[in-house]
Amino acid sequence: LAELNEVTRTALMERSGATSTVIAAMAKKGIVEVYTRKVSRFSYFGVSGGGLPKLTDIQGAALDKVHKSWLEKDITLLHGVTSSGKTELYIHLIDYVMRRGRQALYLVPEIALTTQLTSRLQRVFGDKVLIYHSRFSDNERVEIWNRLLDDPSPCVVIGARSSVFLPFGSLGLVIVDEEHESAYKQQDPAPRYNARDAAVVLASMHGAKTLLGSATPSVETFWKAVNGRYGLVELLERYEGGQLPEMRLVDMTLARKKGEVKGIFSDELREDVSGALGRGMQSILFLNRRGYAPVARCKMCGFVPKCDHCDVSLTYHRRIDKLLCHYCGTPYAVPDVCPACKEPGIEVLGYGTERIEEEVDSCFPGVAIARLDLDTTRNKDSYENIIEDFSRGKSQILVVTQMVTKGLDFGNVSVVGVVNADAIINFPDFRSAERAFNMIEQVAGRAGRKNSEGKVAIQTYSPSHPLFRFLLSHDYHGFYANEIDERRRFNYPPFVRVIYIYIKHKDPVAVGSIANDLASKLRTLLGNRISGPEEPTVARVQTLYIRRIMLKVETNASISKVKQLLNDVRIEMTNAGRLSGAIVYYDVDPM
């Protein structure tokens, strides 16, 4: 009985009529032996040892270049277009390290990615594959922690950003997949760190090599690669000669004038999705806004309900029939009458993924639709179930937020629709163009991955935006050249390092006064390196008013001296009582 798992043992006991008392009596007489054996929650019982994936000539050449690059530099960037076969190279490199008795860390930006990667790696490495992320329970995470602490034997850990803190005994390789992703940056709460940068430091501590992989590398990383600080290897062709998807702009202003738009979908996008369904193919519709509608408004007086604790309008979620704050999570009932004019005129405006799902259902009745966003992936298994169902063809249309832009591999997708590109492009931040290019190029890369033709329709009211020129031709190098020139002219990273200094206070007058005082003192010491203070896009979160000061530091400056200077000013203001009731913190290299 001791060798059986709990379910089998219970079933046998029920079938035989035995109880725990009977078993205890039998054990006392020496008929059976009862003992405890520790069994890992992550034991793999499937088929493993299937062999390494076969590489094409182009992949093999890239693999050789990676090894040669590591002879001179510890960090190498692998720039490979979407579906170029970067994962196969990762598997070969992991095998190379493990055969030499060392461990590997495979970082991914999104928990959803662990689902597909785990099965692919387990087919090769079996139970030497470990998974670690925040959706696991404390007991599950402790088990992984203790295994690495007690056993330095070869293994590969697939994990999200917190995996960099695991106690590796013999780390030989760190892979940071989709290294450009802002999801690697921990914003709140502290510690505020970028897992990509922390992974580089972790690898250097162990004498390990680092491989950064992306189809759209961050501007800073690519700049370091082309200037010789990192090694650079490029895979600019899709696996086995596959073609990159055809990118098309849909001018929504012109389409509306012609009456070719119904709801939020243009006729062109509808026809693409309908054609894919007719061929037995799948489609992905991308909108980076969850909920049903982003704004509720009174049609009589224009009143917009806002959160009591944050300076943001509320998003309507139809499933729970509530207005929800996406910053503090507070739910509000939808008012029957407008609080301002007392008229029953509250309506919802705009589209979120929940509303897109509803509209797709009305356009294509009877078609299986899935939605992948924060609201549908609250529990640990939600990611896996939605992705697995779509991979197996149980759903034909997937409505997604940016979760799907992070390297998921779907072999039957032929159409991708970017429902509202303007919401991504028009954002007040120096990284907005980079973020928009990465997001659209990555989601487009989900189409046409298995030797099928892919189509991408980008709906926009700004077709003349210069970013689209690079997107339509999948021209990362052209985009990089344009972006690096902008960064150089306006003195932004990688030519400087940016530090944001945040001041928060419950009193709106006090926060302004403290921020002005702090900026003045810093400007005296650092001159025009200081900008602000300013109100961020959302100027109040969880009852705290916010001001932000920007500090630009030369790349060759001593960060330890800057840290000491900032700390001295903070201590001086604290001793003078100027920071009473305020929260001051720093965000280095913000994403």
Side-chain angles (χ1 to χ4, degrees):
L1 284 173
E3 294 295 329
L4 302 176
N5 63 41
E6 185 66 31
V7 175
T8 306
R9 184 163 64 246
T10 303
L12 287 175
M13 288 173 63
E14 290 176 351
R15 195 181 307 163
S16 64
T19 63
S20 57
T21 305
V22 173
I23 297 297
M26 293 172 67
K28 191 174 183 180
K29 293 178 181 180
I31 300 172
V32 297
E33 179 186 358
V34 178
Y35 62 90
T36 301
R37 183 170 60 130
K38 184 184 288 187
V39 179
S40 172
R41 295 175 177 85
F42 304 101
S43 297
Y44 176 66
F45 300 104
V47 178
S48 61
L52 296 172
K54 186 177 180 180
L55 300 182
T56 64
D57 292 342
I58 294 175
Q59 287 176 309
L63 183 62
D64 290 340
K65 289 178 181 177
V66 170
H67 283 295
K68 289 177 181 176
S69 172
W70 279 340
L71 294 175
E72 299 179 2
K73 296 179 175 64
D74 291 332
I75 307 166
T76 294
L77 170 64
L78 176 61
H79 173 215
V81 297
T82 55
S83 194
S84 59
K86 294 186 291 295
T87 306
E88 283 81 1
L89 265 68
Y90 298 158
I91 293 173
H92 276 261
L93 292 168
I94 291 167
D95 176 71
Y96 174 82
V97 167
M98 289 176 61
R99 280 191 284 107
R100 281 154 180 77
R102 303 191 72 179
Q103 300 165 330
L105 171 61
Y106 191 148
L107 277 180
V108 292
E110 195 73 60
I111 295 171
L113 282 176
T114 61
T115 301
Q116 290 189 339
L117 283 174
T118 299
S119 59
R120 291 180 70 174
L121 267 65
Q122 282 178 334
R123 286 195 292 267
V124 180
F125 303 113
D127 59 6
K128 293 180 180 178
V129 178
L130 307 178
I131 309 100
Y132 186 89
H133 54 68
S134 60
R135 290 294 174 94
F136 281 163
S137 66
D138 289 345
N139 288 337
E140 289 171 318
R141 282 186 279 177
V142 165
E143 181 177 327
I144 296 295
W145 182 279
N146 286 335
R147 174 168 171 177
L148 289 170
L149 194 63
D150 300 334
D151 183 7
S153 63
C155 65
V156 53
V157 177
I158 304 173
R161 62 187 179 218
S162 57
S163 303
V164 297
F165 299 114
L166 287 170
F168 293 96
S170 179
L171 190 63
L173 172 65
V174 175
I175 295 170
V176 185
D177 196 19
E178 310 297 342
E179 65 82 27
H180 64 276
E181 277 293 339
S182 60
Y184 280 124
K185 181 65 186 284
Q186 167 73 24
Q187 303 285 0
D188 279 308
R192 297 172 181 87
Y193 67 99
N194 190 316
R196 176 195 63 199
D197 301 334
V200 170
V201 174
L202 174 69
S204 67
M205 291 169 64
H206 286 265
K209 302 298 184 183
T210 303
L211 185 67
L212 310 175
S214 177
T216 55
S218 70
V219 170
E220 289 96 319
T221 299
F222 200 75
W223 184 81
K224 291 175 182 177
V226 297
N227 284 279
R229 288 184 60 183
Y230 296 168
L232 175 61
V233 178
E234 295 192 292
L235 262 175
L236 301 181
E237 293 184 22
R238 277 192 155 186
Y239 183 73
E240 292 186 340
Q243 296 299 308
L244 289 167
E246 174 197 353
M247 306 275 274
R248 301 191 322 276
L249 285 183
V250 180
D251 186 341
M252 294 295 284
T253 303
L254 187 60
R256 285 198 181 277
K257 287 179 179 178
K258 293 181 178 180
E260 296 174 351
V261 178
K262 298 180 183 66
I264 197 171
F265 297 129
S266 63
D267 290 351
E268 188 172 344
L269 180 54
R270 289 172 190 265
E271 290 169 7
D272 285 345
V273 174
S274 181
L277 293 171
R279 298 190 304 272
M281 304 295 284
Q282 295 170 300
S283 302
I284 290 175
L285 298 175
F286 169 71
L287 179 68
N288 199 33
R289 189 183 294 275
R290 65 186 177 97
Y292 185 84
V295 176
R297 187 184 70 185
C298 175
K299 58 186 175 184
M300 305 299 291
C301 70
F303 171 81
V304 176
K306 291 190 175 182
C307 178
D308 293 338
H309 314 292
C310 309
D311 189 20
V312 291
S313 58
L314 301 172
T315 300
Y316 177 62
H317 288 249
R318 188 162 189 167
R319 183 182 59 83
I320 58 175
D321 193 28
K322 296 280 187 182
L323 294 170
L324 196 65
C325 175
H326 283 182
Y327 279 80
C328 68
T330 305
Y332 297 83
V334 181
D336 294 323
V337 297
C338 172
C341 67
K342 311 303 179 185
E343 294 289 337
I346 296 293
E347 61 179 353
V348 294
L349 303 171
Y351 285 81
T353 49
E354 198 176 339
R355 190 171 185 179
I356 293 291
E357 181 184 23
E358 181 183 278
E359 187 157 321
V360 171
D361 187 47
S362 65
C363 292
F364 304 101
V367 173
I369 304 164
R371 176 163 54 94
L372 184 68
D373 58 23
L374 187 62
D375 299 315
T376 60
T377 54
R378 293 290 183 183
N379 64 58
K380 184 176 68 176
D381 299 322
S382 300
Y383 288 100
E384 184 174 350
N385 294 337
I386 295 170
I387 292 168
E388 189 70 19
D389 286 350
F390 191 67
S391 296
R392 292 184 176 181
K394 292 183 179 179
S395 49
Q396 282 75 52
I397 300 176
L398 183 64
V399 179
V400 298
T401 57
Q402 63 179 346
M403 285 182 177
V404 85
T405 67
K406 299 175 175 67
L408 290 170
D409 187 10
F410 301 119
N412 203 39
V413 173
S414 67
V415 171
V416 167
V418 180
V419 177
N420 184 5
D422 303 310
I424 311 168
I425 294 170
N426 299 318
F427 198 79
D429 184 79
F430 75 92
R431 295 188 196 275
S432 62
E434 177 185 1
R435 193 176 294 117
F437 181 90
N438 293 350
M439 206 174 290
I440 296 174
E441 181 67 21
Q442 289 283 348
V443 73
R446 302 315 108 200
R449 295 178 71 89
K450 302 296 183 184
N451 294 320
S452 61
E453 292 185 4
K455 293 182 178 180
V456 181
I458 305 172
Q459 297 189 160
T460 176
Y461 288 91
S462 308
S464 61
H465 195 287
L467 187 67
F468 292 126
R469 174 163 51 97
F470 306 112
L471 280 168
L472 293 179
S473 56
H474 302 281
D475 184 9
Y476 173 81
H477 289 94
F479 164 75
Y480 166 78
N482 183 76
E483 185 68 11
I484 203 71
D485 183 57
E486 290 275 319
R487 301 278 185 95
R488 184 183 288 107
R489 280 194 293 152
F490 295 105
N491 201 31
Y492 279 105
F495 303 103
V496 294
R497 296 190 68 179
V498 170
I499 300 174
Y500 282 148
I501 305 165
Y502 286 94
I503 305 96
K504 296 184 176 181
H505 201 289
K506 290 187 176 181
D507 185 340
V509 176
V511 74
S513 174
I514 293 170
N516 287 330
D517 194 4
L518 178 58
S520 177
K521 290 181 179 298
L522 290 174
R523 196 170 281 112
T524 300
L525 296 169
L526 295 166
N528 60 6
R529 298 179 184 88
I530 295 292
S531 301
E534 63 175 3
E535 290 188 5
T537 307
V538 179
R540 183 171 66 110
V541 174
Q542 295 179 342
T543 72
L544 294 174
Y545 292 89
I546 308 169
R547 294 294 184 273
R548 184 176 70 189
I549 300 168
M550 177 190 284
L551 167 60
K552 292 180 180 179
V553 181
E554 293 84 349
T555 54
N556 59 354
S558 170
I559 291 297
S560 61
K561 289 183 180 179
V562 173
K563 181 179 177 181
Q564 184 63 50
L565 186 149
L566 292 174
N567 195 43
D568 289 345
V569 172
R570 182 183 61 82
I571 291 172
E572 177 189 342
M573 291 186 65
T574 300
N575 291 339
R578 288 293 294 125
L579 297 183
S580 177
I583 299 170
V584 179
Y585 66 88
Y586 311 92
D587 186 7
V588 182
D589 300 328
M591 293 292 286

